[in-house]
Amino acid sequence: MDISASLQANNEQLYALWSENSGLVVSLQTTLLDQILPNVVDELEIDPEDVKGAREWLQDVGSVFRMLKRHKFTSAFALETMRTTILWRLTNIPRQPPTSRPSDLIYCLAPPTSDTFGRPVLILRLASLNDSSDSTKGYLIYVIETLRGHLQDINSEMRTGEKRLILQYTLIVDMQDVSMRNINLDLLKWYIREIVPRFPGMLAAVFVINFSWTHASLWNLVKRILPEPALSKVLFPTMKGLHDVVPTSSLPQEYGGQLPKLKDVTNIVTIPDEPSSPSLDGRTVSHTDAHRPSPPANFAAAPRISPRSRYNPFFGYPISPHAPASGSSIPHLHHGRRRKRDLARTLTILWWKRWKTPLVFGLYLFLALCCVGARSQRWHWARLLTHPVFVRSHQLMNRLAKA
C-alpha cells in the first residue's frame, strides 16, 4: 500500500471514530464545562480572564475528541487528564507571544493551503533549532497552542454539515543542513513528556524530506525515544510521494511547489517584533491573545493552591508555583523541604475533620451527664441531712461537746 492510500485509510478510520463517539465528546464537554471547571475555579480562586481562557479551550471539540481518543474513549481517564491539564495551562500557556524565539523554525501555511485531505500543512526546519533553553520551550508551547487554536478557528468557521471537522495537521520535517548540534534529545524528551499529553493526536503524518545517509545515526537516536504511535506516523517519502499527499499548489518553491519561497509565504505562527502589538499584517497574533488582554507578565498568574488541595502534588505541604519559563509543570515546595511542623499541622487538621462530629457529640454528652450527676448529688445530700438518724447523732454530739 502506497503512502497516500495508507493515509486515506487512517483518515477514514479517524472520522469513523468521530462519528461513533461524537455523542460521548459532547457529554464529556458538558461535564467539563458545567461541573469540573466551576469546581476548579472555586478551589483555586482563578482570575476571570483565566477562567475565560479555560472555557475557550474546553469548548474546542477537537481537543476533547483527541483527548478521548488518547485514552481509548474511556471518559473517566480523559476527564481526569483534562482536569489536571486545566491547571497546567494556567501556569504554562503564555498570554503574550514570547520575546525570544528561534527564527524560521516552524511554518504553518495559511488557508486555503492544505493536503489532499483538507488538513493544514506545517513545515519544520530543524536546521534553525540551535537552542534548547527555557525560552525555546516557552516558544514551542506558544506555537502548539496557536496551532490548536487555528484548528478550532477553522472548524468554528464551518457551517453545520458543510465539511468534516479538521482534527489534525500534516507536518513536513526538512532535514536540509541538519547536524548533530540541531538534535537535542533532552528537548525531545521534554516535548514528549510535557506537550504531547496535553496536545495529543494533532499530527496525522510526519514527512521527513532531504534525508540522507548522514542523518541515519540521528534517526537511530531519535526513534529510541519516540513512542510507537508516533513512530508509525513518520514517513520518508520521495518528492513525488510528498506531492501525492501535499499538492504542489500547497507547497513553497523549495519543495517543488507553486507557492512563493518559504520565507515569503504567510505564516500563521509568525510573531511580531512588538509582542504587545495586537496584529501583524491584519492577522491576529495568536488565538489565545484574541480572547485575553495582555498583562505585564508573559505568563498567566499562577493560582494559589492550598496545602491540602487535591491539585497539590506535595499534599500537606505549602507550595509555590514554579516559574513557567523553566519548562517544568510541577510546583516546588515553598520552604524547599518537607517540614515536620507542616506534616503535624496537616495530620492534626485531617484528624479533626475525621473525628470532629463524634468528639463534639461526646463532649456534649459528658457535660449533660455531669449536670445530671450534680443535681442528683445535691438531692442526695439534702435527704441525708434531714434523716432522723443524722439529726439524733447531731444532737448527741452537741450534748457531748457541752459536757
Side-chain angles (χ1 to χ4, degrees), residues 53-112:
R55 182 172 293 277
E56 177 269 333
W57 173 63
L58 293 176
Q59 289 172 342
D60 181 9
V61 292
S63 292
V64 178
F65 171 75
R66 288 189 293 267
M67 192 68 75
L68 269 170
K69 183 175 180 293
R70 176 179 175 84
H71 291 283
K72 300 180 180 179
F73 298 97
T74 303
S75 296
F77 294 159
L79 190 69
E80 180 62 25
T81 300
M82 295 198 74
R83 183 173 65 176
T84 57
T85 302
I86 292 174
L87 179 61
W88 182 89
R89 291 176 61 86
L90 290 174
T91 55
N92 286 273
I93 299 298
R95 285 184 173 181
Q96 293 180 349
T99 56
S100 176
R101 69 274 188 186
S103 60
D104 304 327
L105 177 63
I106 300 176
Y107 290 81
C108 177
L109 306 185

Side-chain angles (χ1 to χ4, degrees), residues 371-392:
C371 292
V372 172
R375 293 184 61 184
S376 176
Q377 190 174 20
R378 287 196 299 270
W379 177 81
H380 175 72
W381 279 106
R383 289 194 59 187
L384 182 63
L385 292 175
T386 58
H387 196 275
V389 175
F390 181 83
V391 173
R392 286 196 296 270

